[in-house]
Amino acid sequence: IYGERGVWRPGDTLHLSFMLDDLNNRLPKGHPVVLELYNPMGQVQSRTVTTNDVEGLYAFHPVTSKDAPTGNWTATVKVGGASFSERVKIETVKPNRLKINLKFDTDKLYSGRGNQYGNLNVRWLHGAVARNLRAAYEVLLVPIKTTFKGYEDVSFDDPSKEYITEFEPVFEGKLDDNGVARMSFSLDAGTDAPGMLRAVFKGKVFEEGGDFSIDNTTINFVPYTSFTGIKVPEGDKRGILLTDKDHQVRIVSLDADGKPVDRKLEVEIYKLQWRWWRDNSWESKSNYTSRYYSQRISEGTVSTRNGEGIYKLHIKHPEWGRFLVRVKDPVSGHSSGQIVYIDWPGWAGKQGRGELGGAS
């Protein structure tokens, strides 16, 4: 469920879209899909039924009243006994009257280094100090590509992980007489993150009359104390490796600042089902990542020295297809991986195999 923007005002028409993925084709054509819109008090404000879709995409256009209560509304879609919900924000949007400046002590935030700190400085737009006002911040963590200087050709992300979070409260307090507050917080993504994250801080500073000004500040977050990276060989001109041969897979291990560290790492090889890559143009990642681990065909270890190591990838005939090479740092919990296509020597340059044509 998604809309054309992130916030609406009372009286707006909400243009909401619902994308339905009926994997097993259980619903008959023309099956009704219901959208119910609830206000912050949990009361149903509108109910729309439609049977019209375009390739599983349904459009709804509920209208809110000009005196609609502001806050977090809920859009709930019901179809075939299943129910899906998404938060919808309706606010009275006003221009900021406060100038909000949030700066952190470091250029990145780190996990495992204790509390992180930020300095919040607020002034009225006309320049006066904003004394003793209440401030509240929440944070959202979103994945970004993991890169380290000098290792641009190495993959540090795990393609088998999908990381989805929501905004979580991170700070609430009052500004002092100088319009300043010292923010202290701790971020933790566990071991679910595929790699580096970006922390999106969304804040409000409230005037005494209840109005507020908003601020959005982003900073990169390093969720692991150390990282492992992988680079599989490029293969032939089509990117194919051959069975019954040793292939040198480069493995690296770095600390959170990108400096080499020595580790004993765990390596796993998974055979991917063909359904994964054939359908990945329309299936969501959350549906097909579970298929990554359908068949683990081998496991081992590799030790790095000065942050570098080599793992010998060897797939024996008659195995062929796509494989996930995954390496994990047991100290930090970080993992990375790459997908590689491996085929028999006699087939690698041909289009004759039915599955091979689809893979290319």
Side-chain angles (χ1 to χ4, degrees):
I1 303 173
Y2 59 94
E4 87 282 12
R5 56 178 118 154
V7 61
W8 291 265
R9 294 171 293 186
D12 282 351
T13 297
L14 280 59
H15 301 288
L16 301 176
S17 297
F18 171 68
M19 184 173 290
L20 175 65
D21 194 358
D22 184 13
L23 293 177
N24 297 316
N25 296 318
R26 295 178 178 177
L27 298 179
K29 186 174 179 60
H31 189 86
V33 176
V34 181
L35 171 74
E36 294 179 344
L37 187 64
Y38 296 83
N39 66 19
M41 284 75 74
Q43 302 165 328
V44 179
Q45 295 299 290
S46 67
R47 186 176 188 271
T48 308
V49 181
T50 184
T51 59
N52 299 321
D53 72 290
V54 178
E55 299 294 333
L57 184 63
Y58 298 79
F60 298 93
H61 309 283
V63 180
T64 61
S65 62
K66 292 185 178 180
D67 58 351
T70 57
N72 293 326
W73 290 50
T74 302
T76 299
V77 175
K78 299 178 180 179
V79 53
S83 179
F84 310 91
S85 295
E86 185 70 26
R87 184 176 69 175
V88 175
K89 296 188 72 68
I90 296 181
E91 302 284 359
T92 302
V93 181
K94 294 183 177 180
N96 279 359
R97 286 156 44 93
L98 297 166
K99 183 178 181 180
I100 305 171
N101 186 12
L102 173 61
K103 290 187 176 180
F104 301 95
D105 287 1
T106 57
D107 59 349
K108 294 179 182 178
L109 302 179
Y110 292 86
S111 177
R113 298 188 181 181
N115 283 352
Q116 310 286 294
Y117 296 94
N119 295 306
L120 182 61
N121 192 306
V122 183
R123 297 287 188 271
W124 294 97
L125 288 183
H126 52 67
V129 174
R131 295 184 176 87
N132 304 317
L133 300 182
R134 182 171 68 90
Y137 271 81
E138 52 185 0
V139 65
L140 174 71
L141 300 176
V142 295
I144 59 174
K145 181 177 175 59
T146 307
T147 58
F148 291 97
K149 186 177 180 180
Y151 299 88
E152 288 78 9
D153 60 340
V154 178
S155 173
F156 291 93
D157 295 297
D158 189 338
S160 69
K161 290 183 177 180
E162 183 177 32
Y163 190 71
I164 301 176
T165 61
E166 296 182 351
F167 276 101
E168 297 288 344
V170 70
F171 172 81
E172 183 168 355
K174 272 199 168 186
L175 307 175
D176 62 17
D177 288 339
N178 297 314
V180 173
R182 179 71 166 167
M183 292 175 54
S184 174
F185 54 88
S186 178
L187 301 180
D188 184 11
T191 58
D192 295 328
M196 292 286 191
L197 300 173
R198 176 167 290 132
V200 181
F201 286 82
K202 183 172 69 174
K204 295 180 180 179
V205 179
F206 296 86
E207 302 175 20
E208 293 181 355
D211 288 341
F212 59 84
S213 296
I214 62 175
D215 172 61
N216 284 281
T217 302
T218 63
I219 185 173
N220 287 351
F221 172 52
V222 184
Y224 296 100
T225 56
S226 57
F227 290 78
T228 180
I230 182 172
K231 186 179 188 309
V232 299
E234 295 182 358
D236 62 15
K237 62 182 180 181
R238 298 181 61 216
I240 296 176
L241 303 181
L242 302 181
T243 58
D244 296 323
K245 289 190 176 183
D246 287 338
H247 300 285
Q248 307 290 314
V249 179
R250 181 188 179 192
I251 305 293
V252 303
S253 53
L254 308 174
D255 65 14
D257 296 314
K259 298 179 181 178
V261 293
D262 294 344
R263 288 284 190 270
K264 185 176 182 180
L265 306 171
E266 301 169 356
V267 181
E268 298 172 315
I269 311 297
Y270 293 93
K271 175 69 177 293
L272 300 186
Q273 292 185 7
W274 284 109
R275 178 175 175 80
W276 175 82
W277 61 261
R278 182 188 296 124
D279 294 341
N280 68 5
S281 60
W282 60 271
E283 279 192 338
S284 90
K285 182 180 286 189
S286 60
N287 286 337
Y288 61 72
T289 49
S290 62
R291 300 191 178 95
Y292 269 112
Y293 305 139
S294 60
Q295 184 182 2
R296 184 172 62 182
I297 62 173
S298 68
E299 58 184 324
T301 60
V302 59
S303 296
T304 58
R305 187 171 184 178
N306 295 323
E308 294 280 348
I310 294 294
Y311 179 80
K312 292 183 179 180
L313 174 64
H314 188 104
I315 302 297
K316 293 183 179 180
H317 181 279
E319 286 282 6
W320 67 279
R322 287 206 172 190
F323 299 83
L324 172 65
V325 185
R326 187 170 183 263
V327 57
K328 180 180 179 180
D329 182 346
V331 176
S332 67
H334 175 257
S335 58
S336 62
Q338 278 191 302
I339 296 169
V340 59
Y341 185 86
I342 302 177
D343 208 349
W344 310 337
W347 286 91
K350 300 179 180 180
Q351 292 286 348
R353 191 195 300 276
E355 300 289 5
L356 181 58
S360 65

